[in-house]
Amino acid sequence: MSEFTNPSIGIDDVPAGGGFSFDHVHRNSLIERQLADNHNHNNHNKSSSILPLATKTGTTIVGLVYSNGIILGADTRSTNDTTVADKNCFKIHYIAPNIYCCGAGTAADTEKTTELIASQMELLRMNTGNAQSRVVTACTLLKRMLFRYQGYVSAALVLGGCDVHGPHLYQIYPHGSTGKLPYTTMGSGSLAAMAAFESSESGYRDDMEEEEALELVKRAVLAGVWNDLGSGSNVDTCIIRRDGTVLMGRNDVMPNEVGPLREKVRRSDNLNMRVGTTAVLKESFARNKSSAMGGVTLADVTVTPMET
């Protein structure tokens, strides 16, 4: 970052006078120039690595209401520009024991936003005699927070859960607008997933059974995995039932599993280093003089209590 702070590059070092400080004028001008270069698609040779890029979840996230609850689904790929940063990230976040939330957008924003709201929901339960959390309460807290930041918190969410009023599914946009729907998709692969939901033969319909609804969620996420470059890897699912039980399906579908293929590959034995390949010029062994036993004793071990 020295090019941002060295005033000898491009701009004369003129001391600021008066009551205003112009110490960061040079830095800001270079940052603005670098941002312009990052958005200039015609200049592919210039390096855009000076400014770090946020890790995006890319993402296909879906949710639907079925006869006995809610099913959420998400892929597991996170990207950093054109690079796959994580092949198996977790995009289904805990909000309350009966409420979960899928996140799309900037990975840090979705993670910390859901953690903050989960903390507030826990405090609310403690203040109300451990009463069951309401899905609309979580939706209200999320939309208020996102609206406060005017879209600069890049978190597009699919919120689902079951409470005393039944199953509820909400889509929440980064600017704070929300909608209550029987099924929804969000993220870069949302169009492909919505095509699976709205197909005439095997798409969504009211009062679906759990098995067929789960298969539809898997098929919708896989549509995003195969047709969207920002989505990929595996499929995670979350079933939230009316009776309060939750079934998490971590890596429920693994279409890109390479384990069986790697087992079929036979590496040449010439790549294995055998004993004696490297010549040993000298060997020596010295006992520990500080101990009469010539080794480590219990007196040499320091036990540190774990922080909890």
Side-chain angles (χ1 to χ4, degrees):
M1 299 293 288
S2 60
E3 56 267 46
F4 286 166
T5 58
N6 185 0
S8 63
I9 304 177
I11 299 177
D12 296 334
D13 186 9
V14 179
F20 296 97
S21 174
F22 298 94
D23 295 340
H24 298 307
V25 169
H26 173 70
R27 181 203 66 177
N28 294 344
S29 64
L30 287 180
I31 290 178
E32 290 177 356
R33 191 185 312 164
Q34 187 61 46
L35 286 173
D37 290 341
N38 289 350
H39 291 88
N40 184 5
H41 299 288
N42 297 326
N43 190 355
H44 299 286
N45 296 324
K46 281 193 174 183
S47 173
S48 60
S49 61
I50 296 178
L51 295 177
L53 296 173
T55 301
K56 305 285 185 179
T57 58
T59 302
T60 300
I61 55 175
V62 305
L64 61 78
V65 180
Y66 75 102
S67 60
N68 193 36
I70 295 285
I71 300 182
L72 304 175
D75 71 303
T76 62
R77 171 181 290 182
S78 66
T79 58
N80 191 338
D81 195 20
T82 57
T83 304
V84 177
D86 190 352
K87 295 180 180 179
N88 200 25
C89 69
F90 198 50
K91 302 180 185 180
I92 304 179
H93 307 283
Y94 170 88
I95 299 294
N98 59 317
I99 306 171
Y100 282 79
C101 181
C102 298
T106 302
D109 288 347
T110 59
E111 217 168 281
K112 294 306 174 183
T113 298
T114 52
E115 285 180 5
L116 177 62
I117 301 305
S119 175
Q120 295 181 10
M121 295 292 288
E122 176 69 22
L123 292 174
L124 182 60
R125 286 196 300 276
M126 295 171 65
N127 289 329
T128 55
N130 288 324
Q132 187 186 53
S133 297
R134 304 294 191 266
V135 184
V136 68
T137 305
C139 178
T140 302
L141 292 174
L142 284 166
K143 71 193 296 185
R144 285 179 178 175
M145 176 186 173
L146 294 175
F147 178 76
R148 187 185 309 129
Y149 289 94
Q150 292 291 294
Y152 286 100
V153 174
S154 179
L157 308 173
V158 172
L159 178 71
C162 295
D163 54 27
V164 293
H165 300 294
H168 305 275
L169 183 69
Y170 293 92
Q171 64 172 3
I172 307 174
Y173 286 92
H175 292 82
S177 59
T178 62
K180 185 177 181 181
L181 301 166
Y183 62 93
T184 185
T185 66
M186 296 196 82
S188 56
S190 60
L191 295 180
M194 185 58 74
F197 275 154
E198 295 187 343
S199 61
S200 58
E201 296 180 356
S202 57
Y204 178 84
R205 68 179 187 277
D206 295 334
D207 297 325
M208 297 181 70
E209 295 300 324
E210 183 172 304
E211 290 185 4
E212 57 180 345
L214 180 61
E215 289 302 318
L216 178 58
V217 166
K218 293 178 182 179
R219 191 163 63 251
V221 177
L222 284 175
V225 167
W226 298 128
N227 296 284
D228 172 46
L229 293 179
S231 307
S233 297
N234 309 320
V235 177
D236 293 337
T237 59
C238 176
I239 304 175
I240 308 171
R241 302 188 180 96
R242 290 176 182 264
D243 59 3
T245 59
V246 176
L247 178 61
M248 297 295 299
R250 179 62 169 154
N251 294 335
D252 219 355
V253 181
M254 302 177 67
N256 297 301
E257 180 60 36
V258 296
L261 294 177
R262 288 180 175 174
E263 291 177 358
K264 296 179 181 179
V265 176
R266 294 291 179 263
R267 297 174 65 249
S268 173
D269 192 54
N270 294 331
L271 300 177
N272 299 324
M273 298 299 175
R274 297 175 177 80
V275 178
T277 301
T278 303
V280 179
L281 302 181
K282 182 180 178 181
E283 291 185 9
S284 62
F285 176 76
R287 287 185 172 274
N288 185 6
K289 297 180 180 180
S290 61
S291 175
M293 298 177 62
V296 179
T297 64
L298 292 177
D300 301 321
V301 178
T302 303
V303 179
T304 305
M306 180 183 296
E307 295 181 2
T308 58

